Amino acid sequence: MRSCHLFLFLLLFLFCSCGADQNMKKGEKFLAIGEYYDAAEQFKKAYSKAPAKERERRGQISRKLAHCYERINASQKAIASYRNIIRYKQDDVETHLSFARQLLRNGNYKEAEKEFLWVLDSLPDNTLAKNGLTSARTAPEIKQTGSRYTVKKMDVFNSRRADYSPMLCGDEYNQLYFTSTRNEAQGDEVSGITGAKAGDIFFSQKDDKGKWGRPQTIESGLNTEYDEGACCFSTDQHTMYLTQCSTDPDYPRYANIVTASRSDAAWGKATKLELSRDTLSSFAHPAVSPDGEWLYFVSDMPGGLGGMDIWRVRLTAAGVGGVENIGAPVNTEGDEMFPTFRPNGDLYFSSNGHPGMGGLDIFIAKVDKSGRYRLEHPGFPLNSQGDDFGCTFEGLHNRGFFCSNRGDGRGWDHIYSFENPEIVQTVKGWVYEMDGYELPEAQVYMVGNDGTNVKLSVKGDGSFEQEVLPGVDYVLLASCKGFLNHREEIKVKAAKESEVYTLQFPLASIRVPVLIDNIFYDFDKATLRPESATALDELVGLLNENPNVTIELSAHADYRGSADYNKRLSQRRAESVVNYLIAHGIPKERLTPVGYGVEKPKTIRKKLTEKYNWLKENDVLTEEFVRALNDPEKEEICNQLNRRTEFIVLRTTYGMFDENGQLKNPPKKKEETKHPEEDDGFLLIE
């Protein structure tokens, strides 16, 4: 009987050992290709099958489990696994360091402090342990002190799975894109990496009343069966940069950055962005700088400071330039991830390598006058003991959305709103064609007497917005190919609440006639009425801003009256305008007055058809056209449109060359270029 029992015990032992070995092999295979959730399931089965007497084996399996649980943000399970490693005496210094960091992100600050001290006894110079100890000792005080930030969980965006990396889009910030592993994501399979479906990009639209709508899938080729996430947009919002993680049953998963273009409000299929020839590193979490010149991203490629680092690459018309690590003090031996920008240029990122409150904390990197980054920790409640990351901003105001897994036992991320009330003074402007539409391809240059010298990008609606500082005088110049420049100045005063300076930049075309609106003459005379002064003074300013331009100043009449009389009257009216300009300092040689009478009737441009829908683009308001309308009211409108004063650019090189045809003011050599504070002109940014 005893022999039978012994045989059964040995048989059970061999069966369990064999079963545990099979689970370990499966787990190792999943681990090798980065499927941490599936690997953890196999290691968990192997642990349960391993006999209690095999303490060393159980400890080694616990080490595998702890690593997997860390990667899927299951902190409590990771902590339990680390306790088993220590209990089975399979621990080392790295075990206690990782254990301490998991205790920290779970809010167990006292126990975390003990573990960090244990590590520092053996490794007194370990930076991660030093910063971790600082975090464990200061986090309770940071939480108690709080900050001006308020946060709120946004149930309208969140699901029962992970929702993260929000990114606002749209000229009015009325669209929110984010990643989600909710059931509506494409595909039917559960990811072996996370235990949920592969992530897709979703979006929500804000209605006219300011209410966010239910998140929608993107019905195009953008989302695939793979993981898509952490997106951002080019400054013109026509290109999306996002992270994509493809799957392969035999090889490890490496994240890549891909791009997609928008056409007619639909996003196309994404294509890989070649940042490096390195095929064994991950590239993720893209962020475009506010000036559109740099793409920041996260990678574990060689040459970093440790873990995941933040890198950047220059964006050019010919493609991307070489990659460079942005270095310390941003990057550490830990992980720096999820870079994003506030429109004022501040870099926001998340890190578990700097002293903070727990897991990934949000930090702000501001560039000082020497060009170096200065780091700030925004405190609680923007940060918590969990992972906090992925900020996006509603314009220049310190409000928007971020994500966090705080308080979620499963480690799922959720989207929160945040706001920090600040006095923010901004300048907002619109660049558009005179008598036409907005000019999103324009550039705006801003120079301040405090040394500010920046190039501002224009949005799709022709608008731009930039923070300005009290006590500073600014000059702003809008330019666009095929148009004359336009300049505006503002003096920013101290304010007790947020204030917006609003500017208009109507650009005059150098290709088509430009209407000078609000020019009035006495009836049947060439005498300018006093109310014409405003429009004429604006024309004086325009010509002063563009000193190398000569124009033809023309006056036109409707068909009523004799052609000879109309021509003579319009000539005198054109000369009256030219005389006004000369009297206000514009050289006579730059002005050519021409009275056309009825010779050049108005040609209708598209913009005008929005006001008069009975007119079509390219209609010419000849006498025959007007009479054929058979409507007195419409006929009078056409006659008013024909009675107009316009100018057209003749030359753009007046005064630029001497009598020998040589350029009077050739560009200075680079070393002779003045400093911004010494330049008496407008300094353009290259």
Side-chain angles (χ1 to χ4, degrees), residues 129-147:
K130 287 180 178 179
N131 290 343
L133 180 61
T134 300
S135 299
R137 288 174 171 174
T138 60
E141 182 180 351
I142 293 174
K143 185 173 183 178
Q144 183 177 4
T145 302
S147 68

Side-chain angles (χ1 to χ4, degrees), residues 398-508:
N398 200 350
R399 62 174 180 256
F401 302 100
F402 75 111
C403 50
S404 176
N405 61 9
R406 62 185 70 185
D408 192 296
R410 299 163 298 177
W412 298 126
D413 302 308
H414 301 293
I415 296 174
Y416 291 75
S417 67
F418 73 88
E419 182 171 9
N420 182 358
E422 294 179 342
I423 297 176
V424 180
Q425 292 178 272
T426 61
V427 56
K428 186 168 186 178
W430 281 266
V431 187
Y432 55 93
E433 180 183 1
M434 281 186 179
D435 198 28
Y437 292 97
E438 59 274 358
L439 294 170
E441 64 272 23
Q443 290 286 347
V444 177
Y445 303 89
M446 185 173 84
V447 169
N449 60 3
D450 65 339
T452 298
N453 192 333
V454 294
K455 180 172 67 174
L456 309 178
S457 297
V458 176
K459 300 177 184 177
D461 65 346
S463 71
F464 67 89
E465 190 173 14
Q466 175 69 20
E467 184 175 4
V468 291
L469 302 176
V472 180
D473 298 343
Y474 295 95
V475 176
L476 295 96
L477 180 76
S479 65
C480 187
K481 185 177 181 180
F483 296 87
L484 301 182
N485 295 337
H486 184 86
R487 174 176 174 146
E488 293 285 345
E489 299 181 9
I490 58 172
K491 297 179 181 292
V492 182
K493 300 178 181 179
K496 295 183 178 179
E497 58 185 34
S498 296
E499 186 176 358
V500 179
Y501 292 81
T502 303
L503 301 175
Q504 303 287 335
F505 292 83
L507 302 191

Side-chain angles (χ1 to χ4, degrees), residues 188-386:
D188 298 321
E189 296 184 3
V190 173
S191 170
I193 303 174
T194 63
K197 296 183 73 172
D200 274 357
I201 303 292
F202 288 76
F203 79 98
S204 176
Q205 182 84 31
K206 185 191 290 186
D207 62 22
D208 295 338
K209 297 180 180 179
K211 182 179 179 181
W212 287 101
R214 182 178 178 182
Q216 304 291 319
T217 58
I218 298 177
E219 302 295 340
S220 69
L222 178 69
N223 288 317
T224 68
E225 61 192 72
Y226 303 140
D227 262 305
E228 280 87 26
C231 69
C232 71
F233 302 95
S234 58
T235 53
D236 63 7
Q237 302 187 19
H238 291 162
T239 301
M240 178 190 293
Y241 298 84
L242 64 153
T243 307
Q244 188 180 81
C245 300
S246 60
T247 58
D248 191 305
D250 300 314
Y251 295 96
R253 273 66 164 156
Y254 296 108
N256 285 296
I257 293 175
V258 297
T259 65
S261 298
R262 179 164 56 185
S263 177
D264 297 329
W267 291 103
K269 185 178 179 180
T271 57
K272 183 179 178 182
L273 180 65
E274 294 289 347
L275 296 174
S276 169
R277 295 182 180 178
D278 185 345
T279 60
L280 299 177
S281 301
S282 290
F283 301 86
H285 308 168
V288 177
S289 61
D291 59 12
E293 295 188 357
W294 295 92
L295 179 71
Y296 286 64
F297 62 93
V298 168
S299 180
D300 57 356
M301 73 174 82
L305 276 67
M308 302 296 287
D309 272 13
I310 297 176
W311 302 67
R312 71 175 187 174
V313 62
R314 187 178 289 277
L315 297 172
T316 70
V320 298
V323 299
E324 58 183 62
N325 190 295
I326 68 171
V330 172
N331 291 321
T332 67
E333 295 178 12
D335 292 323
E336 281 67 49
M337 308 168 77
F338 299 99
T340 188
F341 283 92
R342 188 174 172 184
N344 66 1
D346 292 345
L347 171 64
Y348 283 64
F349 67 97
S350 292
S351 172
N352 59 18
H354 293 284
M357 293 190 67
L360 288 171
D361 268 27
I362 295 169
F363 290 85
I364 308 169
K366 298 184 177 184
V367 179
D368 60 23
K369 293 183 179 180
S370 66
R372 289 182 52 82
Y373 284 115
R374 175 174 53 85
L375 300 188
E376 294 181 6
H377 185 275
F380 178 85
L382 189 63
N383 285 312
S384 68
Q385 65 193 41

